Amino acid sequence: MRHAKRGRKLGRDAAHRKLMLGTMAGQLIQHGRIKTTEAKAKEVRGVVDRLINTAKRDDLHARRQAVKILKDKRVVRRLFEEVAPDLDDRNSGYTRILKLGPRQGDGAEQVYLELVNHRVE
C-alpha cells in the first residue's frame, strides 16, 4: 500500500519525472499558462510554488538552485526579474487550475495551469 507516499508517479521513472516537471515548470514561467492533464498540473504546481519562493530571496544560491531545476538561464532570468517581483505581495497560491473537460482521445481530464498574475491576450 502507498500510505504516506507523497506525489504521483505519472507512469514514469524518477529521472524522467523530475526532468518533465522541471520542463513544465519552465514552460509555465515562460508562457504564463500551459495546457496539460489534471494530475500533471497538480504536481507541477508544487514545483512552481517552491521556485517562486526561492526566487523571492534573489541571491546567487537561489539562482543556482533554480538553474538546477529549470536548466535554462533565460527562464531563470524571467523568474527572478519578472515573475517573482510581481507575486511579492503573496505568500503562496501562485498558480490556478482551470478545468477544460476530458481529452478527446483517452478521456484524460484537461486543465489550464496558469500563474495568478497571467493576463490572457
Side-chain angles (χ1 to χ4, degrees):
M1 290 186 211
R2 295 191 72 238
H3 294 303
K5 301 292 184 197
R6 189 172 149 250
R8 294 164 182 84
K9 291 191 176 187
L10 302 172
R12 290 153 175 86
D13 61 40
H16 185 184
R17 188 168 51 248
K18 183 178 175 183
L19 286 172
M20 181 194 67
L21 293 176
T23 301
M24 289 179 74
Q27 292 296 316
L28 179 61
I29 291 165
Q30 188 174 11
H31 299 291
R33 174 161 128 168
I34 58 173
K35 184 178 180 181
T36 184
T37 63
E38 188 173 12
K40 286 180 188 174
K42 287 180 177 181
E43 285 300 303
V44 173
R45 178 175 53 184
V47 174
V48 172
D49 283 355
R50 282 192 298 275
L51 280 169
I52 292 172
N53 280 332
T54 301
K56 284 183 174 184
R57 285 199 330 247
D58 197 18
D59 58 5
L60 180 60
H61 184 57
R63 283 184 186 266
R64 287 180 175 165
Q65 287 178 319
V67 169
K68 185 177 175 182
I69 295 169
L70 296 174
K71 309 284 192 245
D72 187 354
K73 291 181 182 179
R74 289 174 298 175
V75 175
V76 172
R77 188 175 306 120
R78 178 171 163 74
L79 171 66
F80 276 77
E81 294 175 5
E82 296 174 28
V83 176
D86 285 351
L87 297 170
D88 205 25
D89 57 330
R90 300 176 76 96
N91 292 325
S92 64
Y94 306 117
T95 58
R96 76 170 58 99
I97 294 177
L98 304 171
K99 295 189 178 190
L100 300 173
R103 185 162 51 199
Q104 185 71 35
D106 60 359
E109 189 66 30
Q110 292 290 104
V111 298
Y112 275 129
L113 176 64
E114 67 181 20
L115 296 170
V116 292
N117 63 350
H118 176 69
R119 293 162 194 83
V120 180
E121 295 153 5

